[in-house]
């Protein structure tokens, strides 16, 4: 359990002291954010704010995870390494996107096909590897069965699993990307979800089927390959995001950019897949789903009827255009996200209690 504490504290410390150093480096190189001309006018004042801040919490998370292993003498696990690899790979795709925006001095970076290709390569690599490395209970990091609070139903097979995993990875990474439009909004929301996954990992470890002989109710146990290490990864992410939020909250001194948003979305999808909570993540990360759906509704309505449902999509900008201040939108959306996490954890516990 000490691993979780060390990972969280180290991640927090590294981003608190490391992010301002990154801000100075990016500002010196002129790596500033370009703002959409069709966005809220108040955002134009943010032009030039250093971006690619996701570098800070990606590196902090990796260092926090491995340092916690060195301190406690515990070895890394395949599940933990796969989630970190997915996070880093998606972050690299986002970094290329951000870098092209800066070099080409435009608000759009990688071409859509190139960006999608990069995400597909990373996602397929994760999905294929996640079905390897079985432990002595024959559990691989991922399962070919669908899951809510744990696996259910029949196996969908390796091919459909790869398709399903890709959908989750693309949905979550682009969902966080769409949410990252206001200072601190995506960072704060992601911190809450990673906190939830820290709890889930600890709970699954305590109620693991590997410990069935010591459990009061073996029928309610969890078949997850490395639940405790997933909690370590989640704690490292939670601490790193929390420290980054100090610099990212309004008025933001740095933006996470696609480097950060794609990495966080990948990490969320990876944790959901490896902890067998694939459908539950849609509730735990409810704010990301809500904002993504606002874009789908806006685009669909405009194409079908020529009319817009919202003043602007994603949803957070709709409320800005209605006159809400940026801070008001962020705090109220954080409250929505907090409620999603509470309900999600409640359902997770209820699923365990129902079998008790």
């Amino acid at each position: 359990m000490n691993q979780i504490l060390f990972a969280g504290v180290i991640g927090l410390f590294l981003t608190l002291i490391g992010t301002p150093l990154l801000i100075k480096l990016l500002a010196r190189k002129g790596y500033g954010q370009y703002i959409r001309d069709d966005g809220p006018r108040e955002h134009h004042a943010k032009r030039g704010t250093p971006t690619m801040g996701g570098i800070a919490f990606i590196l902090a998370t990796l260092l926090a995870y491995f340092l916690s292993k060195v301190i406690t003498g515990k070895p890394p696990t395949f599940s933990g390494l796969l989630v970190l690899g997915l996070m880093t790979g998606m972050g690299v795709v986002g970094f290329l996107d951000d870098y092209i925006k800066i070099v080409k001095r435009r608000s759009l970076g990688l071409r859509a096909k190139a960006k999608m290709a990069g995400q597909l390569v990373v996602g397929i690599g994760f999905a294929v590897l996640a079905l390897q490395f079985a432990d002595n209970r024959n559990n691989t990091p991922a399962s070919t069965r669908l899951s809510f609070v744990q696996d259910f139903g029949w196996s969908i097979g390796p091919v459909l699993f790869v398709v399903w995993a890709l959908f989750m990875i693309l949905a979550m990474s682009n969902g966080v990307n769409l949410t990252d439009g206001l200072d601190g909004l995506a960072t704060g929301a992601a911190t809450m979800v990673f906190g939830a996954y820290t709890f889930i990992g600890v709970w699954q470890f305590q109620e693991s089927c590997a410990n069935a002989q010591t459990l009061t109710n073996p029928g309610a146990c969890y078949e997850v390959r490395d639940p405790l290490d997933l909690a370590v990864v989640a704690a490292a992410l939670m601490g790193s995001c929390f420290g980054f939020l100090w610099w990212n909250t309004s008025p933001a001194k740095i933006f996470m950019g696609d480097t950060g948003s794609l990495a966080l979305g990948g990490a969320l999808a990876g944790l959901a897949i490896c902890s067998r909570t694939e459908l539950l993540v849609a509730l735990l990360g409810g704010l990301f789903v809500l904002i993504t759906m606002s874009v789908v509704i806006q685009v669909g309505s405009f194409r079908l009827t020529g009319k817009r449902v919202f003043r602007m999509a994603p949803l957070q900008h709709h409320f800005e255009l209605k006159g809400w201040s940026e801070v008001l939108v962020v705090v109220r959306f954080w409250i929505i996200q907090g409620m999603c996490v509470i309900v999600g954890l409640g359902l997770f516990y209820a699923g365990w209690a129902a079998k008790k």
Side-chain angles (χ1 to χ4, degrees):
M1 294 295 182
N2 288 339
Q3 303 174 70
I4 297 172
L5 178 61
F6 285 131
V9 171
I10 292 171
L12 173 65
F13 177 75
L14 289 176
T15 47
L16 277 176
I17 65 170
T19 304
L21 300 178
L22 180 63
I23 292 172
K24 292 179 181 178
L25 175 63
L26 295 173
R28 189 181 307 124
K29 291 183 174 294
Y31 290 176
Q33 178 72 40
Y34 285 84
I35 306 298
R36 290 169 50 185
D37 292 330
D38 59 343
R41 287 178 297 177
E42 293 80 3
H43 288 205
H44 292 176
K46 301 180 181 183
R47 191 182 301 272
T49 301
T51 188
M52 297 194 293
I55 295 172
F57 56 73
I58 291 173
L59 292 178
T61 299
L62 293 172
L63 285 170
Y65 175 81
F66 287 109
L67 285 174
S68 72
K69 296 297 180 181
V70 171
I71 294 171
T72 60
K74 303 292 185 181
T77 67
F78 287 112
S79 297
L81 293 175
L82 280 171
V83 174
L84 292 174
L86 178 59
M87 173 196 72
T88 306
M90 296 298 287
V92 169
V93 175
F95 173 82
L96 294 174
D97 189 45
D98 287 333
Y99 187 76
I100 291 173
K101 289 176 187 176
I102 295 166
V103 172
K104 299 294 185 181
R105 297 186 177 274
R106 65 189 190 198
S107 59
L108 296 175
L110 281 173
R111 301 299 180 188
K113 290 183 179 179
K115 190 173 183 179
M116 179 62 71
Q119 291 175 303
L120 288 175
V121 169
V122 174
I124 291 173
F126 168 83
V128 171
L129 291 174
L131 294 179
Q132 314 302 318
F133 312 113
D135 62 8
N136 56 8
R137 294 182 59 83
N138 206 35
N139 284 324
T140 53
S143 167
T144 56
R145 297 167 64 191
L146 296 179
S147 59
F148 181 54
V149 295
Q150 56 186 359
D151 288 339
F152 66 86
W154 295 280
S155 168
I156 61 175
V159 175
L160 284 180
F161 167 76
V162 171
V163 174
W164 169 240
L166 276 175
F167 170 77
M168 285 192 61
I169 293 165
L170 293 174
M172 290 308 301
S173 59
N174 288 291
V176 178
N177 185 251
L178 290 170
T179 305
D180 182 35
L182 302 182
D183 294 354
L185 178 58
T187 309
T191 301
M192 296 181 205
V193 187
F194 290 132
Y197 270 110
T198 302
F199 171 83
I200 287 172
V202 171
W203 188 272
Q204 289 178 333
F205 172 72
Q206 293 176 336
E207 301 294 329
S208 173
C209 294
N211 305 323
Q213 293 181 345
T214 62
L215 297 179
T216 56
N217 182 24
C221 67
Y222 296 94
E223 284 287 5
V224 178
R225 191 190 190 285
D226 306 298
L228 186 61
D229 208 42
L230 293 175
V232 175
V233 172
L237 280 159
M238 177 180 64
S240 299
C241 286
F242 201 41
F244 181 76
L245 184 60
W246 180 273
W247 305 102
N248 182 233
T249 194
S250 183
K253 300 295 189 295
I254 188 171
F255 299 138
M256 71 168 68
D258 282 16
T259 305
S261 60
L262 295 188
L264 292 182
L268 287 172
L271 287 169
I273 291 169
C274 291
S275 66
R276 313 292 204 268
T277 55
E278 294 162 356
L279 297 178
L280 184 65
V281 75
L283 182 54
L284 291 172
L287 181 65
F288 304 127
V289 175
L290 177 65
I291 288 176
T292 301
M293 290 306 301
S294 74
V295 175
V296 173
I297 292 169
Q298 184 85 325
V299 172
S301 176
F302 187 76
R303 288 183 176 177
L304 292 173
T305 68
K307 296 181 180 180
R308 293 178 172 87
V309 177
F310 307 106
R311 295 188 181 186
M312 186 178 177
L315 188 61
Q316 62 268 32
H317 299 317
H318 166 78
F319 289 102
E320 279 192 291
L321 293 178
K322 286 190 66 175
W324 291 20
S325 70
E326 181 175 4
V327 173
L328 180 63
V329 175
V330 169
V331 172
R332 286 182 173 173
F333 276 38
W334 279 350
I335 292 172
I336 293 172
Q337 176 55 49
M339 290 189 292
C340 289
V341 166
I342 291 170
V343 173
L345 288 177
L347 288 175
F348 175 78
Y349 178 77
W352 174 83
K355 291 188 175 184
K356 191 174 180 181

